[in-house]
Amino acid sequence: MSSADSPQRPWLAEFILLAAIWGSSFLFMRLATVEFGALPTAALRVSIAAAFLLPILLLRGLGPQLRRHWKSIFLVGVLNSAIPFVCFAYALLHITTGLSSILNATVPLFGALVAWVWLKDRPDRSRIAGLVLGFAGVALLASDKAGLKAVSQDAPATTLEAIAWTPMLAVGACLLATLCYGIAASYTKRYLSGMPSMLTATGSQMGATLFLALPAAWTWPERQPGTSAWLALIAAGVLCTGLAYVLYFRLIESTGPARALTVTFVIPVFAMGYGVVFLGETITWWMVGCGAVILLGTALSTGILRRR
């Protein structure tokens, strides 16, 4: 191992932990969105995260920095939380959590493209090979496991015609979300480099909360959601957003946006695993093989392994 590679090792544990946490977010978002709707689900997720993180930020004495840089940090919140969370919440009403997590794995492709064009961060051949290999594994996994929600064939023809378009819109919403993630990562690296991860994570959730407050109030469900939906939102807000974004912005600082975004290659593996544990789904050898391909691609694209 060369000396250039050794500093990369400490962030590996955070990389895997973040993938495990974000893998569970699709399950929690699905449980919440069914009862809350897309906009209220996204708004509550970021507001819970902001409420969880803000006291910690103030205790660390980061309030003055937040006041100085609030505009840039709040914009990151819109790009990296508000818009993507609404998009995925909408998508989860019409496509499966597995397909949503697989589409989420296109983030590194957008992230690498944005970083290349904007930050002139051109990936080397090894990282390009890893990106291609990882996306190939995601595509293979999608061909076997992920899909659209089942629709009754007894439904009226007009309903079936309308429903036929919703999966396409849901897929488009997921891709819009991943594009926003890629832009936000490079924006963070360009304009917020060197800032504490707690500052960026907390401020971004506050910005997303303000952005979604009025739309969420306007579309609030008439029927009061149940306890399970509220618990799912609390988990999504505290664990999958508050804690996860602290880890995420730390990864951007230590590895760069293109590499940090490759965490999304590993998320589908965890998402499928949670489906087995909590939803009674089964793991096939095809899923295991695709998961190995995804992990190998991620290792190459992040520089953990080097192609000889």
Side-chain angles (χ1 to χ4, degrees), residues 10-78:
W11 58 265
L12 179 59
E14 294 183 353
F15 184 91
I16 299 299
L17 177 60
L18 181 60
I21 292 174
W22 268 344
S24 67
S25 67
F26 295 93
L27 173 63
F28 295 137
M29 290 286 279
R30 163 66 66 77
L31 295 174
T33 305
V34 171
E35 297 193 40
F36 280 98
L39 281 166
T41 295
L44 285 171
R45 178 177 177 179
V46 295
S47 62
I48 291 171
F52 170 75
L53 291 171
L54 183 58
I56 303 175
L57 177 136
L58 295 177
L59 287 174
R60 293 188 178 183
L62 297 174
Q65 290 191 53
L66 179 60
R67 288 193 294 271
R68 286 196 301 269
H69 303 286
W70 70 271
K71 291 183 180 180
S72 298
I73 297 175
F74 279 19
L75 178 58
V76 169
V78 174

Side-chain angles (χ1 to χ4, degrees), residues 73-74 76-78 81 199-209 245 249:
I73 297 175
F74 279 19
V76 169
V78 174
S81 295
L199 175 66
T200 312
T202 305
S204 65
Q205 299 314 297
M206 293 172 64
T209 299
Y245 271 128
F249 288 117

Side-chain angles (χ1 to χ4, degrees), residues 17-306:
L17 177 60
L18 181 60
I21 292 174
W22 268 344
S24 67
S25 67
F26 295 93
L27 173 63
F28 295 137
M29 290 286 279
R30 163 66 66 77
L31 295 174
T33 305
V34 171
E35 297 193 40
F36 280 98
L39 281 166
T41 295
L44 285 171
R45 178 177 177 179
V46 295
S47 62
I48 291 171
F52 170 75
L53 291 171
L54 183 58
I56 303 175
L57 177 136
L58 295 177
L59 287 174
R60 293 188 178 183
L62 297 174
Q65 290 191 53
L66 179 60
R67 288 193 294 271
R68 286 196 301 269
H69 303 286
W70 70 271
K71 291 183 180 180
S72 298
I73 297 175
F74 279 19
L75 178 58
V76 169
V78 174
L79 290 172
N80 205 63
S81 295
I83 296 175
F85 289 174
V86 171
C87 289
F88 276 112
Y90 167 78
L92 286 168
L93 293 172
H94 306 292
I95 61 179
T96 64
T97 57
L99 180 54
S100 298
S101 65
I102 289 166
L103 291 170
N104 188 63
T106 63
V107 171
L109 301 180
F110 288 107
L113 179 61
V114 172
W116 188 353
V117 173
W118 189 1
L119 304 182
K120 309 304 180 184
D121 181 17
R122 181 173 182 173
D124 58 25
R125 288 183 297 176
S126 179
R127 289 171 57 191
I128 292 175
L131 289 172
V132 172
L133 182 62
F135 191 75
V138 169
L140 290 172
L141 186 60
S143 67
D144 177 69
K145 184 64 179 177
L148 309 179
K149 283 191 172 182
V151 179
S152 173
Q153 298 301 317
D154 297 330
T158 54
T159 302
L160 292 174
E161 183 178 353
I163 291 175
W165 286 96
T166 54
M168 297 176 61
L169 293 175
V171 170
C174 291
L175 294 177
L176 174 60
T178 57
L179 175 60
C180 288
Y181 283 141
I183 296 173
S186 287
Y187 182 91
T188 300
K189 188 67 175 180
R190 180 81 178 259
Y191 296 106
L192 301 178
S193 181
M195 292 189 184
S197 57
M198 177 61 67
L199 175 66
T200 312
T202 305
S204 65
Q205 299 314 297
M206 293 172 64
T209 299
L210 293 175
F211 184 80
L212 293 175
L214 287 179
W218 184 263
T219 58
W220 192 263
E222 296 182 0
R223 182 179 179 181
Q224 179 66 23
T227 302
S228 61
W230 278 105
L231 291 176
L233 266 178
I234 293 173
V238 174
L239 179 64
C240 303
T241 311
L243 294 177
Y245 271 128
V246 173
L247 291 174
Y248 175 63
F249 288 117
R250 281 167 57 94
L251 282 174
I252 290 179
E253 277 297 304
S254 61
T255 69
R259 289 185 179 181
L261 288 173
T262 57
V263 69
T264 55
F265 275 154
V266 190
I267 289 174
V269 179
F270 284 100
M272 296 297 179
Y274 296 136
V276 172
V277 176
F278 299 105
L279 301 178
E281 298 176 350
T282 58
I283 294 181
T284 65
W285 284 109
W286 180 264
M287 294 172 62
V288 174
C290 292
V293 172
I294 293 171
L295 291 174
L296 178 59
T298 302
L300 281 170
S301 62
T302 56
I304 297 174
L305 296 178
R306 292 292 183 183

